[in-house]
Each structure stands twice: as structure tokens, then as C-alpha cells.
Amino acid sequence: PLVALKDGHLALLIGGDVHLYFPTDYTAGIPVALAGHCGLSPWRDDFSDPASGWPIADLGPVAYRYDRDQYSILQREAERWSAVSRGDRWENADDVRVVTWPAGGDGFSGLIFGLNDDWSHFYTFEVYSHLSRWAVFEYAQGQWRLLGTNVGGQVNPPGRPNLLRLMRLDANTVRLAINEHQVYDIDNAVGRVGLSAGSFEPAADARFDDYMFVGNGCPVPEARTRPDRSPIIARPSLETLLSNE
């Protein structure tokens, strides 16, 4: 026979003996060890806090701003390109993602990665909603080089956002995806990541939301708190760049 006592105690009659059991008799202590954890990753940003680390500036031709819980890169002139970074550094990181869409004007937006300290070398992964096209470019020492592009159903039309992702496959390869469609693999590129945007006509407003950076171990603290924007970088027209396809 088993008798329930107060405070969760139990009495069990076995033969001529009474055995008393207490809740602590069934409590297990499990040690937890954390390896490479620093509490800074993943970093999520819904752009509701203007102090979250992205540049804020109005330079005339381009404005970088937080607006209505979104981040905006507004190009007031046609045929311009610019980008920003909050300092998150990709070095065998696991995942970077952002939702982006054109909120006004004819333009495009994307992710940059492999960004060095002086903006002389980086990669940019871009979507052009009105063309249903994506493209990957490398910028090095003043020259733009098309690495890959395609037209298809992976890119949502204007009026609908696109989810852009960088995903680490292994130590040597990064996969680029649009709306969970895998579109391009590239060699792992160490450097900062950020947001890019461009215009085909004046008043092209590129919007971003739901940014996430999943680092590998602990990122360098000072690198995560350095908002940075691109210098003026001349860029050929999209038609010229795509002619090398």
C-alpha cells in the first residue's frame, strides 16, 4: 500500500517496514557546460531602436535612417549605389538574414559581405523586384565584377518583401538564398556584413526589417559597435554590368 503524505511525501509499506520518500529523492542535478558562448549571438534587429547600431545620416543625395520600425536607404538621385554596416563580422559565422523591399521609386536592395576596413573590397547580393532577377557582384579596387545572376520565381514582385540569407555550409563555402530558395554558392569571405541599396530613378527608397546575425562563438566586441557607411562609389548601369553575364 502507498499512502500520500503532505508536502509531496510518500509512505510505502513493504513487509513490516514503512519507507518514507521525499520529493528530493527524485531530483537530479545536471551540470551544464557552455563552450564558446558569449551572449551576443544571435543578434536580432527589428529596427525599432535607433540606437541599435546602424548609421543615421542625411547626405543630400542619400539618406540613412530609421523610419517606422524599419531601416531605410533613400537615394534621391538616379543611378546611385550605397551601403551600410553596423560592424557584424562574418568569420565562419552561421547565418545572416534580412527582409527587404522597395518602398518607393525604382531601385534595388541587398546584403553586402566580405567587407574590408576601407570599402575597397566586398561582395554584394542584390534583388531587383521589377525584373524578377538576383545578382552577386564582387567589388575590388574600383572594379565591379559579375559573379552570378538569374531570372526566376525566387524573387518576389514589387509590393512583396524578399528574405535574403547567407548560410555557412562548411568552413569553405557560403550559400546565398532568396525566400528559402538556394541560388548561389561562394567561397567563404571573411569581413563585415551589411545592407546595400541602389536606384534606377530618383527617390528610390529601399527598406529593411528583421535583420539577424548568427555568429560563431564570440564576435569581436568593438567590431559590433562601429556604424559605418560606404564612401561615394561609382557604379556602371545594371545593363552594363549584366552584359558580362
Side-chain angles (χ1 to χ4, degrees):
L2 184 68
V3 179
L5 306 177
K6 67 176 183 178
D7 299 327
H9 302 166
L10 296 173
L12 178 63
L13 180 61
I14 301 178
D17 299 326
V18 176
H19 296 254
L20 297 178
Y21 295 90
F22 301 92
T24 53
D25 293 335
Y26 300 96
T27 300
I30 303 176
V32 177
L34 299 177
H37 177 73
C38 59
L40 296 177
S41 180
W43 171 267
R44 294 182 174 88
D45 196 349
D46 62 4
F47 300 107
S48 61
D49 180 7
S52 66
W54 299 92
I56 301 175
D58 191 334
L59 307 179
V62 60
Y64 307 104
R65 55 188 183 159
Y66 290 76
D67 183 50
R68 291 171 293 176
D69 295 340
Q70 301 163 7
Y71 190 75
S72 163
I73 301 179
L74 173 63
Q75 313 279 359
R76 295 193 175 97
E77 300 176 351
E79 300 299 334
R80 293 187 64 91
W81 181 94
S82 56
V84 293
S85 174
R86 69 180 297 274
D88 294 320
R89 183 174 176 81
W90 181 284
E91 189 167 0
N92 292 323
D94 292 321
D95 196 352
V96 176
R97 64 182 71 181
V98 73
V99 175
T100 183
W101 67 97
D106 191 0
F108 57 93
S109 53
L111 279 170
I112 58 171
F113 59 101
L115 172 63
N116 64 357
D117 289 338
D118 62 2
W119 293 85
S120 63
H121 185 242
F122 56 82
Y123 301 86
T124 177
F125 175 33
E126 302 171 353
V127 287
Y128 315 91
S129 297
H130 69 297
L131 299 175
S132 298
R133 179 184 286 275
W134 60 266
V136 181
F137 296 100
E138 180 184 18
Y139 178 80
Q141 304 302 325
Q143 301 296 318
W144 292 88
R145 181 166 69 101
L146 176 66
L147 300 181
T149 186
N150 204 354
V151 176
Q154 304 96 339
V155 179
N156 287 330
R160 296 177 56 192
N162 289 287
L163 171 63
L164 305 185
R165 293 184 65 185
L166 309 179
M167 301 175 289
R168 182 168 66 98
L169 293 186
D170 53 45
N172 301 312
T173 309
V174 175
R175 174 157 291 171
L176 281 57
I178 303 171
N179 300 317
E180 304 302 346
H181 296 282
Q182 301 168 2
V183 297
Y184 193 76
D185 289 353
I186 191 171
D187 291 343
N188 187 44
V190 174
R192 293 175 292 159
V193 301
L195 313 174
S196 65
S199 61
F200 299 120
E201 63 181 29
D205 188 2
R207 294 294 175 121
F208 302 87
D209 204 356
D210 297 328
Y211 171 84
M212 185 174 76
F213 177 85
V214 183
N216 185 1
C218 297
V220 179
E222 59 268 21
R224 295 183 61 87
T225 56
R226 192 185 63 165
D228 192 14
R229 62 179 186 264
S230 64
I232 297 175
I233 297 178
R235 173 162 150 156
S237 69
L238 181 62
E239 291 78 7
T240 301
L241 291 172
L242 294 181
S243 67
N244 297 323
E245 181 181 354

